[in-house]
Amino acid sequence: MRSVLSTTFSSLRVRNYRLFATGQLVKLVGVWMMFTAQDWLVLDLSGNSPGALGAVTSLQFLPVLLLTLYAGKLADRFDKRRLLVAANAAFAVTAIALAVLVASGHVQLWHVFLFAGLLGIANAVETPVRQAFVSELVELPLLPNALALSAATFNTARIGGPALAGVALALFDTGPVFLIATVLAVAPIFSYTRMRAAELRPAERQAKKDARIADGLRYVWKRSDLMLPIGLMFVVGMIGFNFPVTLAALAKIDFNAGPSTFGLLTTALAVGALGGALAGSGRRARPGAYVVIGAALAFSVLEFVVGFAPTFVVAMLLLVPTGFFSIYLAQAANHRVQMGVDPEFRGRVMALYVLVFLGTTPIGASLAGWWGERFGVASSISGAGIVCFVASLAALVWQLRTSGERLSVTLRPRPRLRLVQSVREPFEASAEEKLPSAA
């Protein structure tokens, strides 16, 4: 047990990473409390409209679509820690202003739309910089573990945040929940400022004229091993990961859930996601393409089945394995990109990854809201599963054709699916499996 725990939490031995993880955990608990209360508030103000939920989610992520690539350029040019302090300070100030408005009882639906966009601007800068910053906190061998624990931190907050928000909504009103959330949101500012700058491992920063966005895009275009996870997450992120819209509407509209049980579907999803994050925490090497594709296929099938859940309890149970494969997929794709990119391009490449994964949410959330308004929330969830399944099959075919490998099916003595490797010269190594040197 000691050996397992030592492997699972090995990155926490690094002081700067402990500060990073602690600050993120506290902040994200508050963020998820705020998002849960915001969903409830939007449904109340809009008369239970899935379209309004989709609009708020779209506004939260629209800045990611517009600004993330530029934020990646900033990450490769400037001190990432200082950028993170500024972005988190802007987020905290904006969240406090919204909380005061809600607590005063003067909030209107358009206020929520406005502040969703403002919070999205802060996140558009913070997210790609934070993704790239993890590699400066730990050495390259610890990077998969650090990324896995970051995902575990995120999903621990997804469990605790909605659960706390559900209890607080039942006991108080939305105003106090927003106020509590904003107090927690300032935690990363203190954790970043307490880090020891001398113990960071920054990549060589590029001059303004050299850190061009177009160079980062060309770099990815020439790397098929990066194109596959980024392309697959483009579809899954846009269509499959719209649970902030679909689960809130499913709970309140289809299952008539009250405020005390409102966040349980999101919590069930996060419980599975936490398991998926911890399952990848022991990873030491770069995951293969088929790990990413297999996780995508499993997630797609489970999401499709969730759409047919007949009761609240059945939906909650199905969301646990769905959450597991959702984060296992996202984490494997993230590891494959992070561990395959040269350090001087990491900020721009991770910005592109965040763009396709989160920046496409405005499109997907709007589609999910529109579909839910006309054909029902459940069909929106199952339809997303079908689209993601087709995209996963396309990724599988593309990988097989690119690598020259093939799948072999045998029925005797028992059914078995095998991957037949292409023949390589003994001295040749696949370019995909070569890791870049640490910065």
Side-chain angles (χ1 to χ4, degrees):
M1 179 62 70
R2 186 181 298 112
S3 176
V4 171
L5 292 176
S6 177
T7 301
T8 302
F9 301 102
S10 55
S11 295
L12 293 178
R13 292 195 295 264
V14 180
R15 179 182 181 275
N16 282 346
Y17 184 80
R18 283 200 308 275
L19 288 169
F20 171 83
T22 303
Q24 286 299 307
L25 177 61
V26 175
K27 173 192 173 180
L28 289 170
V29 168
V31 168
W32 279 103
M33 286 184 68
M34 183 172 65
F35 284 170
T36 303
Q38 178 181 274
D39 290 344
W40 185 262
L41 178 65
V42 168
L43 288 173
D44 274 347
L45 294 174
S46 65
N48 292 339
S49 170
L53 271 182
V56 169
T57 304
S58 297
L59 288 168
Q60 280 178 312
F61 289 96
L62 182 60
V64 178
L65 180 63
L66 300 176
L67 301 175
T68 293
L69 290 179
Y70 183 73
K73 176 180 177 178
L74 294 178
D76 284 334
R77 284 179 51 198
F78 299 110
D79 187 309
K80 297 180 182 64
R81 185 166 63 107
R82 293 181 179 178
L83 287 173
L84 288 169
V85 170
N88 279 278
F91 182 93
V93 170
T94 306
I96 290 170
L98 175 60
V100 170
L101 192 62
V102 175
S104 68
H106 294 95
V107 67
Q108 299 180 32
L109 188 59
W110 72 268
H111 293 146
V112 183
F113 289 163
L114 173 63
F115 279 95
L118 294 175
L119 292 169
I121 293 173
N123 279 330
V125 176
E126 191 265 354
T127 303
V129 178
R130 172 170 44 82
Q131 291 272 350
F133 183 61
V134 176
S135 64
E136 297 187 4
L137 296 171
V138 298
E139 296 178 348
L140 187 62
L142 283 177
L143 183 57
N145 180 260
L147 294 172
L149 290 182
S150 295
T153 298
F154 178 81
N155 287 288
T156 299
R158 285 179 65 187
I159 296 171
L164 289 173
V167 173
L169 284 170
L171 295 176
F172 312 113
D173 199 359
T174 52
V177 179
F178 273 90
L179 291 173
I180 295 170
T182 55
V183 172
L184 300 178
V186 302
I189 300 173
F190 297 102
S191 63
Y192 287 129
T193 54
R194 291 186 60 198
M195 287 181 181
R196 295 170 182 165
E199 296 178 7
L200 296 175
R201 299 170 176 82
E204 183 179 351
R205 295 181 199 133
Q206 298 200 1
K208 180 178 180 180
K209 62 180 181 180
D210 295 329
R212 293 180 297 185
I213 295 173
D215 290 340
L217 297 177
R218 279 193 290 267
Y219 174 82
V220 173
W221 180 256
K222 295 176 182 178
R223 296 280 304 275
S224 61
D225 60 316
L226 299 180
M227 284 291 294
L228 185 141
I230 290 176
L232 182 58
M233 294 311 295
F234 170 77
V235 178
V236 175
M238 179 171 60
I239 303 299
F241 281 12
N242 285 308
F243 295 115
V245 176
T246 54
L247 293 188
L250 188 70
K252 189 170 185 183
I253 299 173
D254 286 33
F255 297 131
N256 298 313
S260 60
T261 55
F262 179 69
L264 286 181
L265 291 185
T266 301
T267 301
L269 186 76
V271 167
L274 177 59
L278 293 177
S281 63
R283 184 178 289 134
R284 293 291 183 182
R286 188 185 185 205
Y290 296 107
V291 173
V292 179
I293 296 170
L297 287 169
F299 166 75
S300 304
V301 171
L302 286 164
E303 184 173 31
F304 173 78
V305 175
V306 168
F308 291 93
T311 65
F312 184 92
V313 173
V314 172
M316 191 168 61
L317 293 175
L318 287 172
L319 282 169
V320 174
T322 305
F324 179 95
F325 283 105
S326 71
I327 201 63
Y328 194 83
L329 162 63
Q331 187 172 274
N334 191 311
H335 287 180
R336 187 155 178 82
V337 174
Q338 283 258 36
M339 299 191 72
V341 66
D342 292 306
E344 63 267 26
F345 286 98
R346 182 168 279 118
R348 282 164 287 176
V349 173
M350 292 314 300
L352 178 62
Y353 179 84
V354 171
L355 173 64
V356 302
F357 185 37
L358 297 178
T360 54
T361 300
I363 302 171
S366 298
L367 288 174
W370 175 85
W371 189 275
E373 289 270 13
R374 286 158 180 77
F375 306 106
V377 180
S379 68
S380 177
I381 297 174
S382 57
I386 293 174
V387 173
C388 292
F389 185 79
V390 172
S392 303
L393 288 180
L396 176 61
V397 172
W398 189 76
Q399 175 63 22
L400 290 172
R401 297 185 69 173
T402 301
S403 64
E405 298 163 335
R406 61 186 177 88
L407 293 175
S408 174
V409 180
T410 56
L411 300 178
R412 296 181 180 180
R414 64 179 185 273
R416 188 179 179 186
L417 180 67
R418 293 188 303 119
L419 179 69
V420 180
Q421 302 286 341
S422 60
V423 178
R424 296 180 184 271
E425 294 296 328
F427 57 84
E428 287 185 335
S430 170
E432 293 184 21
E433 305 308 322
K434 294 178 181 178
L435 295 180
S437 59

